[in-house]
Amino acid sequence: MSPSFDWWGKDAHRGTSVVVKMENPNWSISEISSPADNDEDYSGEGELLRYGGTRKGGRGKNAKQITWVLLLKAHRAAGCLSSLASATIGLASAVRRRVAAGRTDSDATALPPDESPVVRTRFYSFIKVFLCLSVLLLGFEVYAHFYGWHLPVVPSSFGVRGFFESLYAEWLQLRTVYIAPLLQFLADTCVVLFLIQSADRLILCLGCFWIRFKKIKPVPKQAVDEDLETGEYFPTVLIQIPMCNEKEVYQQSIAAVCNLDWPRSNLLVQVLDDSDDPLTQTLIKEEVEKWQQNGAKIIYRHRAIREGYKAGNLKSAMNCSYVKDYEFVAIFDADFQPSPDFLKRTIPHFKDEEELGLVQARWSFINRDENLLTRLQNINLCFHFEVEQQVNGLFLNFFGFNGTAGVWRIKALEDAGGWLERTTVEDMDIAVRAHLRGWKFIFLNDVECQCELPESYEAYMKQQHRWHSGPMQLFRLCLPDILRSKIGFWKKSNLIFLFFLLRKLILPFYSFTLFCIILPMTMFVPEAELPAWIVCYIPAIMSFLNILPAPRSFPFIVPYLLFENTMSVTKFNAMISGLFQLGSAYEWVVTKKSGRSSEGDLYSLVAKESDSLREASTPKIETWPKSASKAKRDYKQKHNRIYMKELALAFLLLTASARSLLSAQGIHFYFLLFQGISFLLVGFDLIGAQVE
């Protein structure tokens, strides 16, 4: 719209009009010069006014122009404040709903049936003790600071004040003589561990840069397409899809595997269903039958007794008599969809490489931009595959099997002892045992298999608990075998000190202890110090290196740094549980899927399939009402929780940040403040998927 305003209009100004172009959310202002104006800078129909610009028309025009610019900038500022206020109100409403619902991570429904609530609350009680002590010390320090007791003093009066003055003097002496040296020793120990781990991370990054600079990657001796003319090398491949109550994703995984570009006579698919939901069993079985009718070699297997979880499922499938007819086995979890050329890009690496036992592909994520939680997970996993797996695969021929999107030589599996149910990380277990038997591994960074990230914090936390408790169980079981094995000294050292101790034990230990316990304590015991470069600069550099494989995630570098420290609570708790065989160490919860990975893949699949194959991926119409009602009931059962450990640590860090103001420690204050806010957001479950 173009209304004219002459609020300041006088005849001397000859009715100069101003046009405001309202283009939400961007605002611009244009001034239209009157034909009667003989300004030399008149440029036709109009020109863009810049704040602070000058024209030859005099001060009257400039006054009006500047006034409009200021008004528009004020309107923009008001809009920003309105958005900020709206977001704050939304967060407050979410917190109020969490508190009103009263659902916490200590509810009986959140515990596995074989775990006592007492075991789960030990770690929480430990944090509460530190929180109570910090609050008491903060009150004491504020009281002492108010009366100016900054140095040890002799009581100057009797009564209550004299008693507290003497008590404060004793506290100063106690923390100086006894507490500070011990705390400084712990801080220095964690700093050394932190620097060692940072050096390991830096070496891995340098290895990755060298790989990129030299363009190094595994190359098969002869591709499958070259053998197609002679028909010499299409080995028999067994495909296994283990699943359990995953009705959201079973269709696309089965469809993707059945559409692999490989001779059907040399390919067999096993759908290993451990579901205890009758409806899910029926849907999966019907899907398998429809693909069978369309010529796919696919078998449905269901275990009545779910022993050993995924490892037990795979072990049972490998005991089938027809497995001996196959040379390789490819494993895909229920939410993974390999591209049609997956086998053609992985199997050729095995040819003429009799010592090669595993080819692992990289994961890619369809829902990495779904929310902040999935974005932060994407950063971690991109670094894991791009740097850790690729560098270890090329320079050491060993890395941990990721449990899916990999192809095993069946002979290597059998030589390593097969699948064992002794830990919750059966994939790492079989990889370590195969490595001890001399088998080599290859990681293909350019072969991707699409999958899905957990979108809720509850699902992600349970996944991380399993991933960090299992390695400690495995380390206790495998250490004697590693020491007795015939592999070289450097390979043993890599397994013990780098693979297990540094990356699986020391990393969660120092992350939690240094930043969540020792740093807050140094605020109350200022005689023990943590330098600013440990608190800020080194973590920032490490976060920068971690985020390099995912350059699109650079805007999230600060949330990533804070969130990694927040997750150290879960990882530390899991590590302790696995190391000392506590109740939650054997907790196995299938990561909840949302089914988002089907949105793009099924569309492209339908575009390629014939009408008969499209029909094969659709359940019977009479099952839809039951499925829809069941899904609706499941949705109603979802809810967000309050995580008490994270909340307790949030208040501990915020209390320590308040105490740091008394010591004028600027960078420590800001770190503790933002880290406390991060714990607060996670404690109220505001970072992942929100259930209304």
Side-chain angles (χ1 to χ4, degrees):
M1 58 183 181
S2 305
S4 296
F5 298 95
D6 58 353
W7 297 342
W8 300 276
K10 302 292 181 182
D11 293 337
H13 294 299
R14 290 190 290 272
T16 301
S17 59
V18 175
V19 177
V20 179
K21 297 179 180 179
M22 299 184 178
E23 301 173 356
N24 195 26
N26 297 318
W27 298 78
S28 61
I29 180 170
S30 297
E31 190 234 341
I32 306 300
S33 299
S34 172
D37 294 335
N38 294 321
D39 296 332
E40 295 179 1
D41 58 342
Y42 176 74
S43 57
E45 186 175 338
E47 64 179 35
L48 178 65
L49 172 66
R50 297 180 179 176
Y51 177 66
T54 59
R55 294 187 50 152
K56 296 183 179 180
R59 295 184 178 179
K61 291 181 181 180
N62 286 339
K64 288 183 288 183
Q65 294 165 356
I66 293 173
T67 301
W68 274 106
V69 169
L70 292 177
L71 287 174
L72 293 176
K73 286 184 177 293
H75 187 277
R76 179 181 295 178
C80 293
L81 291 175
S82 175
S83 301
L84 184 62
S86 176
T88 304
I89 293 173
L91 286 176
S93 291
V95 171
R96 180 183 57 81
R97 290 196 301 269
R98 304 283 192 279
V99 175
R103 298 187 181 94
T104 68
D105 56 344
S106 59
D107 291 344
T109 56
L111 295 174
D114 58 343
E115 184 180 351
S116 169
V118 177
V119 175
R120 178 65 67 93
T121 56
R122 288 176 183 171
F123 188 52
Y124 174 48
S125 301
F126 173 77
I127 297 175
K128 283 197 298 184
V129 170
F130 272 96
L131 175 60
C132 294
L133 286 176
S134 66
V135 172
L136 290 175
L137 286 174
L138 178 62
F140 197 27
E141 293 283 354
V142 171
Y143 182 82
H145 193 271
F146 178 76
Y147 285 102
W149 304 340
H150 302 290
L151 296 172
V153 293
V154 178
S156 59
S157 60
F158 297 98
V160 176
R161 181 176 177 181
F163 170 75
F164 278 108
E165 198 170 348
S166 300
L167 186 62
Y168 184 71
E170 293 295 330
W171 159 246
L172 287 178
Q173 185 177 4
L174 176 66
R175 80 185 191 189
T176 303
V177 177
Y178 298 102
I179 299 179
L182 177 61
L183 185 59
Q184 189 66 58
F185 173 76
L186 293 175
D188 293 341
T189 302
C190 287
V191 167
V192 171
L193 296 176
F194 177 39
L195 293 178
I196 293 174
Q197 195 275 334
S198 299
D200 174 63
R201 188 64 53 95
L202 180 61
I203 292 172
L204 287 173
C205 290
L206 291 176
C208 183
F209 291 147
W210 180 258
I211 291 171
R212 283 200 170 191
F213 178 72
K214 291 293 185 177
K215 298 181 180 179
I216 304 172
K217 67 176 183 178
V219 178
K221 292 186 176 180
Q222 194 170 14
V224 169
D225 289 339
E226 296 175 356
D227 290 329
L228 186 60
E229 299 177 358
T230 60
E232 294 178 354
Y233 194 69
F234 275 102
T236 52
V237 180
L238 177 67
I239 306 289
Q240 294 180 332
I241 313 176
M243 57 180 65
C244 179
N245 296 326
E246 295 171 282
K247 63 178 178 293
E248 298 87 358
V249 292
Y250 72 94
Q251 283 183 301
Q252 64 260 30
S253 61
I254 294 176
V257 167
C258 289
N259 280 279
L260 286 172
D261 187 9
W262 201 258
R264 290 197 174 186
S265 59
N266 292 2
L267 185 70
L268 175 66
V269 179
Q270 286 181 319
V271 177
L272 311 177
D273 183 23
D274 260 5
S275 304
D276 55 9
D277 175 27
L279 175 61
T280 304
Q281 295 176 23
T282 302
L283 291 174
I284 297 174
K285 192 172 183 179
E286 288 179 354
E287 185 74 10
V288 170
E289 291 174 351
K290 291 173 182 177
W291 280 101
Q292 287 175 342
Q293 294 172 4
N294 284 275
K297 289 181 63 177
I298 183 170
I299 297 174
Y300 174 83
R301 284 179 53 85
H302 176 73
R303 295 193 305 162
I305 301 177
R306 187 188 171 204
E307 292 182 350
Y309 303 109
K310 181 180 177 180
N313 198 0
L314 294 172
K315 182 179 180 180
S316 173
M318 293 299 293
N319 289 332
C320 296
S321 58
Y322 51 79
V323 172
K324 66 179 183 298
D325 299 327
Y326 294 84
E327 188 176 353
F328 302 101
V329 55
I331 302 171
F332 301 99
D333 283 350
D335 59 318
F336 279 71
Q337 303 107 56
S339 58
D341 63 346
F342 181 88
L343 294 180
K344 285 191 173 182
R345 300 179 67 184
T346 54
I347 294 295
H349 291 273
F350 288 98
K351 186 174 184 182
D352 299 329
E353 293 287 348
E354 297 300 324
E355 295 182 349
L356 182 60
L358 167 67
V359 173
Q360 173 72 59
R362 179 175 177 163
W363 301 357
S364 60
F365 312 102
I366 187 65
N367 61 336
R368 63 177 179 270
D369 297 325
E370 183 62 28
N371 55 43
L372 179 60
L373 178 61
T374 57
R375 291 177 186 271
L376 300 180
Q377 292 179 68
N378 180 61
I379 295 173
N380 257 343
L381 290 170
C382 282
F383 181 86
H384 170 68
F385 288 109
E386 182 91 9
V387 180
E388 293 179 338
Q389 298 290 76
Q390 184 173 209
V391 171
N392 289 327
L394 281 172
F395 294 107
L396 299 176
N397 293 122
F398 169 72
F399 48 83
F401 174 45
N402 293 117
T404 178
V407 182
W408 277 94
R409 190 188 297 271
I410 293 180
K411 182 180 177 181
L413 285 178
E414 295 173 347
D415 183 56
W419 299 102
L420 299 179
E421 308 98 322
R422 56 182 182 174
T423 70
T424 58
V425 283
E426 74 293 326
D427 45 10
M428 186 181 295
D429 188 359
I430 189 67
V432 170
R433 287 185 282 117
H435 181 58
L436 295 179
R437 298 289 296 175
W439 292 96
K440 296 180 179 180
F441 303 162
I442 284 180
F443 176 76
L444 301 179
N445 192 54
D446 58 343
V447 179
E448 296 185 357
C449 191
Q450 202 168 61
C451 63
E452 181 181 330
L453 291 165
E455 297 179 5
S456 70
Y457 178 71
E458 181 180 11
Y460 179 63
M461 182 185 65
K462 291 179 178 178
Q463 180 197 70
Q464 292 300 303
H465 187 281
R466 175 165 53 88
W467 285 4
H468 286 82
S469 65
M472 289 298 97
Q473 303 172 36
L474 182 61
F475 179 63
R476 295 174 75 254
L477 296 170
C478 280
L479 182 58
D481 296 332
I482 295 174
L483 295 175
R484 291 193 301 263
S485 66
K486 297 180 181 179
I487 61 176
F489 172 78
W490 292 111
K491 290 186 177 181
K492 289 183 181 180
S493 301
N494 172 67
L495 268 178
I496 296 174
F497 295 108
L498 292 181
F499 186 76
F500 279 114
L501 290 181
L502 184 59
R503 297 167 188 165
K504 303 297 188 296
L505 188 148
I506 291 177
L507 176 59
F509 171 78
Y510 87 75
S511 296
F512 171 74
T513 307
L514 184 62
F515 295 109
C516 300
I517 299 297
I518 293 179
L519 177 59
M521 288 181 66
T522 57
M523 298 300 101
F524 297 99
V525 186
E527 292 80 6
E529 297 181 356
L530 275 178
W533 57 272
I534 285 294
V535 176
C536 179
Y537 302 129
I538 298 297
I541 293 173
M542 291 300 104
S543 297
F544 176 79
L545 292 177
N546 280 16
I547 214 168
L548 282 178
R552 290 179 51 198
S553 302
F554 268 104
F556 303 95
I557 186 170
V558 174
Y560 171 74
L561 170 61
L562 298 174
F563 182 68
E564 279 301 287
N565 290 334
T566 305
M567 283 305 299
S568 67
V569 184
T570 297
K571 296 175 182 179
F572 178 83
N573 187 26
M575 183 266 293
I576 294 296
S577 299
L579 192 61
F580 297 102
Q581 302 294 288
L582 302 180
S584 60
Y586 297 98
E587 177 182 351
W588 179 288
V589 180
V590 177
T591 304
K592 184 65 178 175
K593 313 297 191 307
S594 65
R596 295 188 187 276
S597 53
S598 64
E599 295 174 2
D601 297 304
L602 284 184
Y603 177 81
S604 60
L605 184 64
V606 167
K608 296 178 181 179
E609 286 178 342
S610 61
D611 294 338
S612 61
L613 289 183
R614 290 181 206 166
E615 181 183 356
S617 62
T618 306
K620 292 181 179 179
I621 197 65
E622 59 268 18
T623 65
W624 280 109
K626 296 179 182 179
S627 176
S629 63
K630 177 67 175 176
K632 187 176 181 180
R633 288 197 298 271
D634 289 345
Y635 179 80
K636 289 182 178 179
Q637 292 173 359
K638 297 178 182 178
H639 49 257
N640 297 103
R641 298 181 183 274
I642 295 176
Y643 296 94
M644 304 303 296
K645 293 191 295 293
E646 284 78 1
L647 275 187
L649 275 168
F651 292 124
L652 171 63
L653 293 170
L654 293 175
T655 303
S657 69
R659 172 61 182 85
S660 69
L661 293 176
L662 300 179
S663 304
Q665 301 190 39
I667 197 168
H668 296 73
F669 165 74
Y670 289 112
F671 180 86
L672 289 167
L673 175 65
F674 289 115
Q675 191 64 70
I677 293 174
S678 175
F679 270 102
L680 203 62
L681 294 175
V682 172
F684 283 114
D685 200 2
L686 299 173
I687 191 173
Q690 302 297 301
V691 180
E692 298 295 337

